[in-house]
Amino acid sequence: MIKITKPGLLTSVQDLGRYGFQKFGVITSGVMDTTAHRIANSLVGNAENEATLELTLLGPDMEFKEDTLISICGGNLSPSIDGKPVKLWRSVLVTAGSKLKFGGCKTGCRAYLAVAGGFDVPEVMNSKSTYLRAGIGGHNGKALQNDDELSIGELSELSGKITRVLAAQLGENKFVEMQWTISSDFIASSASKPQVRVMKGRQYDWFTTESQMKLFTEHFEVTSQSDRMGYRLKGPELALEEKQEMLSEAVSFGTIQVPSEGNPIVLLADRQTTGGYPKIGQIATVDLSIMAQLKPGDKVQFVEVSHEVAQQLYLDRESKLHQLKQGIALKIRQESK
């Protein structure tokens, strides 16, 4: 069990999302950075869809009531256990009574804390994800609060092996980290003005030639009017050739809509099910993790990519993640002999 002693800015239980219910008006929710979430689960021997804690900008303080295998991936929110820094992107065994805290945000915006066995919270419509506006899923349908306690599920066979490997190295320490970590290829860019690949949207041709050019040549800044539903961007005005009315259409993670004032909105994990603004672009799935790690004040540049190239990038990324899972299992088998 884990007890929350300080909730942080926004800490919630999330998995890969609540699918199959958008036709009833139920949003998908789920983690913002799916790559960091999936790797965090792999490092503790969980299934990729197991729920993690999504920590935003200012992480929580928590106390471990039992020995727990964890991993922290995504943005660097300066984690420490009993005052000693903890490394990201690796398996970590924490002993009972230890306290995990987070400090300043060094890179990124969101970190993901996975525990071996996952968080034992009820599934709502086949998902443990917290839908904050509706108050369902996660832990009581809310962001975590002071004194919340989270139970942990049963360990998988792989989780048990990772735990035993690290336990043998623990000694008198409060925690022990795995010596090896993952390739930097999986870590979202921390560049000051990252590039994000975008495909032309359904209404791209509605916009002026100048606006089409600016989308792929100018920088856009994430404003403070941004949350898990969407990022409002500030930059050059994107204007239509002429005013047009459109019926609401389905939207997805990474859809770039442009309201009448000309400042684009990037729809994210808690997006609505349909949208009525023209869609100038769609962020390639492989780069959604880069977008998810941006915070207010950060700037981004969009780069045009074709559907075919975006699909191949996605397939390549999935292949690498599959190889990573296999590599972790193989490494643990070798070290547990």
Side-chain angles (χ1 to χ4, degrees):
M1 180 175 289
I2 297 174
K3 181 177 181 179
I4 303 300
T5 55
K6 187 177 179 181
L9 182 63
L10 176 61
T11 304
S12 62
V13 177
Q14 301 289 345
D15 57 23
L16 290 177
R18 183 170 285 106
Y19 288 91
F21 300 94
Q22 292 187 80
K23 60 185 176 183
F24 303 115
V26 179
I27 68 172
T28 305
S29 298
V31 294
M32 291 276 281
D33 185 342
T34 58
T35 301
H37 163 90
R38 292 167 67 184
I39 293 174
N41 271 323
S42 294
L43 286 169
V44 296
N46 290 344
E48 290 186 353
N49 192 44
E50 185 54 69
T52 61
L53 292 186
E54 181 178 86
L55 325 175
T56 308
L57 286 174
L58 181 63
D61 295 352
M62 61 187 72
E63 182 179 353
F64 294 90
K65 299 296 187 179
E66 59 190 282
D67 293 356
T68 309
L69 177 65
I70 70 168
S71 67
I72 305 170
C73 296
N76 186 351
L77 307 188
S78 305
S80 64
I81 295 176
D82 293 339
K84 295 183 178 180
V86 182
K87 295 178 180 178
L88 277 65
W89 305 99
R90 65 187 67 208
S91 312
V92 181
L93 180 61
V94 187
T95 59
S98 299
K99 296 179 180 179
L100 171 63
K101 296 185 177 183
F102 292 84
C105 179
K106 292 183 178 179
T107 60
C109 178
R110 294 175 173 85
Y112 293 86
L113 172 66
V115 300
F119 294 101
D120 188 13
V121 297
E123 288 191 358
V124 178
M125 288 177 272
N126 305 324
S127 172
K128 295 181 180 180
S129 283
T130 310
Y131 178 3
L132 294 167
R133 286 181 170 84
I136 62 173
H139 183 71
N140 300 324
K142 302 176 182 178
L144 296 186
Q145 307 294 318
N146 281 342
D147 298 325
D148 280 348
E149 293 185 339
L150 296 170
S151 298
I152 298 172
E154 293 186 8
L155 272 61
S156 68
E157 182 181 354
L158 179 57
S159 297
K161 288 181 178 179
I162 299 172
T163 300
R164 289 190 291 274
V165 167
L166 287 173
Q169 306 170 24
L170 188 60
E172 299 298 321
N173 299 311
K174 289 287 188 177
F175 70 95
V176 61
E177 302 161 329
M178 194 66 78
Q179 295 301 306
W180 46 265
T181 184
I182 68 164
S183 168
S184 60
D185 293 345
F186 293 104
I187 301 174
S189 171
S190 59
S192 59
K193 296 177 183 177
Q195 292 186 337
V196 169
R197 287 163 286 199
V198 170
M199 298 165 283
K200 293 178 180 177
R202 185 174 169 85
Q203 286 81 36
Y204 177 84
D205 293 336
W206 290 15
F207 291 83
T208 64
T209 301
E210 183 181 11
S211 296
Q212 294 172 353
M213 179 185 68
K214 287 180 177 178
L215 176 68
F216 294 119
T217 57
E218 302 284 343
H219 287 95
F220 292 85
E221 181 180 328
V222 178
T223 72
S224 59
Q225 295 177 299
S226 300
D227 56 19
R228 280 177 45 88
M229 184 175 181
Y231 282 172
R232 288 185 175 270
L233 305 181
K234 178 175 66 176
E237 180 183 349
L238 303 180
L240 299 172
E241 284 279 8
E242 57 184 56
K243 187 176 180 180
Q244 298 195 50
E245 296 293 330
M246 61 174 284
L247 297 174
S248 291
E249 298 178 340
V251 293
S252 61
F253 201 155
T255 295
I256 305 175
Q257 291 187 323
V258 183
S260 57
E261 79 273 9
N263 288 315
I265 300 173
V266 179
L267 301 182
L268 301 171
D270 282 353
R271 64 197 177 277
Q272 69 274 22
T273 56
T274 61
Y277 295 129
K279 299 182 287 295
I280 194 171
Q282 173 66 43
I283 295 174
T285 300
V286 73
D287 283 351
L288 289 174
S289 291
I290 298 175
M291 205 71 203
Q293 291 296 346
L294 297 180
K295 54 185 175 293
D298 286 347
K299 294 184 178 181
V300 62
Q301 182 175 15
F302 297 126
V303 178
E304 185 179 356
V305 68
S306 68
H307 284 81
E308 292 76 16
V309 171
Q311 287 173 338
Q312 189 58 55
L313 289 168
Y314 172 76
L315 293 173
D316 291 345
R317 196 273 306 271
E318 291 301 302
S319 176
K320 289 180 180 178
L321 284 172
H322 179 67
Q323 291 174 15
L324 175 64
K325 287 177 63 177
Q326 290 184 319
I328 291 172
L330 177 61
K331 186 72 172 176
I332 294 302
R333 282 200 300 270
Q334 292 173 341
E335 295 190 8
S336 60
K337 288 181 179 178

